[in-house]
Amino acid sequence: MRILFVTQMWPGPDDPDLGSFLPPIHAELQRLGHELELVAIDHRRAQRSKYARLSADAVRAARRFRPDVIFTHMLFPAGAAGAFAGLAARTPTVVMAHGQDVANLGGPPGVTAATRWVVGRASAVICNSRWLAEQLCASVPAAREKLTIANCGIDLDAFSPRPTEAARRELGWDGEGPAFVCVGSLIERKNVEALAVAFERLGEGRLAFVGDGELRGRLENRPGTRVVGRIPQSEVPAWVAAADVVCQPSLIEPFGQAALEGLAMERTVLGTTIGGPPEFVTAEAGVLVDPRDPEALLEGLRRCAAMPTPNPAAREAAAAQDIRIQVGRMAEVLERAAGGVS
């Protein structure tokens, strides 16, 4: 197929972590033999015009590239950009919901109406977890008859197990006791401050935050804690390898990509009970906690620290989410939307 891939999140020079879960999907579709054209926003800069430009660029690309199907990531505004391009080129669209786009429903004025229009125009809708699908259908009931569940998957080769001590030496991350790593934005939803407090109460080991955000100042200069900042996705596996436990105790986690990456590298995961992680984190692979319960978070750290490193059960849990399986499902949806083009 010829696929026009439209997204408002893509890694760029200034923001190498932006939408880092999408290039592997793009690459896997190419590996399957499909021809792709990318239209994307690759920065976080606040520019009122960037979403209008995304729509204009998508329309121009659709008219020039003549795709068999348009694959958009995020219901709005990228979904709207893809829908406009579909109308201009008379091309079917498939839209994938990832999380914040569903959380925005009922929030900013006009978003729910626009999302309903995008879903109405789409031939199919993909959600990255059953939990997220239920959230979407509660606000946009028309999505239910078009739904497929497929997550962003994990590249089991890119996130293959590595020796722990070698990774720690490479990063200069020495210390005694269990090593905890949290990968993701340092924002309220990720529950990072509560994690830092629970770690201090644990009283042993070390904790690294790989990411950046508005709560960075509350995490710096804490004993045993290191704030790494934003890094390219290619550097994330080294930090996961250096960990005994990968932590993602978010208040809400629509899927849980960082947790999946940890599992793939045979690392035990501390995850949230709210969202997608219960769909793939097994009891042998990690511990799921109520993120709003400080005692549960502390006990979760203790239990995870007592689990083995490496943890083969974690890799086994991740294998079911192999990117080839997940993108294969997406490709089937895209082919149906395109009318069986092969």
Side-chain angles (χ1 to χ4, degrees):
M1 291 179 293
R2 294 164 64 85
I3 303 169
L4 180 61
F5 196 102
V6 181
T7 176
Q8 67 209 49
M9 300 177 69
W10 191 263
D14 296 331
D15 296 295
D17 63 324
L18 182 64
S20 58
F21 48 88
L22 292 176
I25 295 175
H26 187 279
E28 179 60 15
L29 286 169
Q30 289 181 316
R31 191 195 68 80
L32 290 172
H34 305 299
E35 182 180 355
L36 277 76
E37 175 90 359
L38 174 67
V39 176
I41 296 173
D42 66 355
H43 60 85
R44 290 187 174 89
R45 293 189 297 275
Q47 296 175 340
R48 291 185 178 181
S49 61
K50 67 180 180 180
Y51 298 120
R53 284 203 305 273
L54 182 69
S55 291
D57 290 346
V59 168
R60 282 193 293 269
R63 286 173 171 162
R64 182 191 72 255
F65 183 58
R66 307 304 299 180
D68 299 305
V69 64
I70 299 171
F71 192 14
T72 64
H73 292 267
M74 296 291 179
L75 296 168
F76 183 82
F84 288 134
L87 285 169
R90 298 181 180 180
T91 303
T93 63
V94 173
V95 61
M96 182 166 180
H98 289 274
Q100 189 58 48
D101 46 356
V102 176
N104 288 340
L105 296 173
V111 169
T112 300
T115 300
R116 287 174 176 162
W117 177 75
V118 168
V119 169
R121 282 278 314 142
S123 297
V125 178
I126 299 173
C127 285
N128 64 12
S129 69
R130 292 188 296 275
W131 179 89
L132 187 65
E134 290 304 315
Q135 304 302 306
L136 172 60
C137 292
S139 296
V140 188
R144 191 173 298 279
E145 63 186 28
K146 301 182 178 186
L147 268 175
T148 293
I149 307 301
N151 62 60
C152 296
I154 186 70
D155 184 335
L156 294 171
D157 294 327
F159 286 89
S160 59
R162 302 184 188 182
T164 306
E165 293 303 325
R168 291 174 185 172
R169 288 194 298 271
E170 176 188 339
L171 298 170
W173 197 38
D174 300 320
E176 298 296 327
F180 303 93
V181 167
C182 179
V183 180
S185 298
L186 307 183
I187 58 176
E188 192 70 29
R189 181 176 68 82
K190 294 292 186 177
N191 210 26
V192 290
E193 191 171 9
L195 174 61
V197 170
F199 168 73
E200 289 180 353
R201 291 180 63 197
L202 182 67
E204 63 172 337
R206 68 217 104 139
L207 169 63
F209 288 97
V210 179
D212 209 343
E214 60 195 33
L215 297 183
R216 179 169 183 156
R218 299 186 190 180
L219 304 173
E220 293 178 320
N221 302 316
R222 289 175 177 262
T225 298
R226 177 172 172 178
V227 179
V228 178
R230 289 195 181 104
I231 60 175
Q233 183 68 7
S234 60
E235 297 177 15
V236 170
W239 279 100
V240 176
D244 294 301
V245 180
V246 173
C247 303
Q248 197 176 38
S250 307
L251 298 177
I252 296 174
E253 194 58 59
F255 175 61
Q257 194 67 29
L260 181 57
E261 292 167 357
L263 295 179
M265 296 189 71
E266 295 189 336
R267 296 306 182 259
T268 297
V269 162
L270 175 71
T272 179
T273 56
I274 304 174
E279 298 176 24
F280 63 88
V281 179
T282 64
E284 298 76 20
V287 177
L288 299 175
V289 299
D290 178 348
R292 300 183 186 276
D293 184 341
E295 297 305 320
L297 190 48
L298 174 59
E299 181 59 22
L301 289 176
R302 287 196 181 111
R303 289 175 58 194
C304 285
M307 295 174 79
T309 302
N311 185 348
R315 177 78 172 181
E316 184 178 345
Q321 314 303 324
D322 188 330
I323 192 169
R324 297 192 179 199
I325 297 172
Q326 301 300 324
V327 176
R329 291 176 185 165
M330 296 179 197
E332 290 174 0
V333 173
L334 293 168
E335 287 169 3
R336 287 197 299 269
V341 173
S342 61

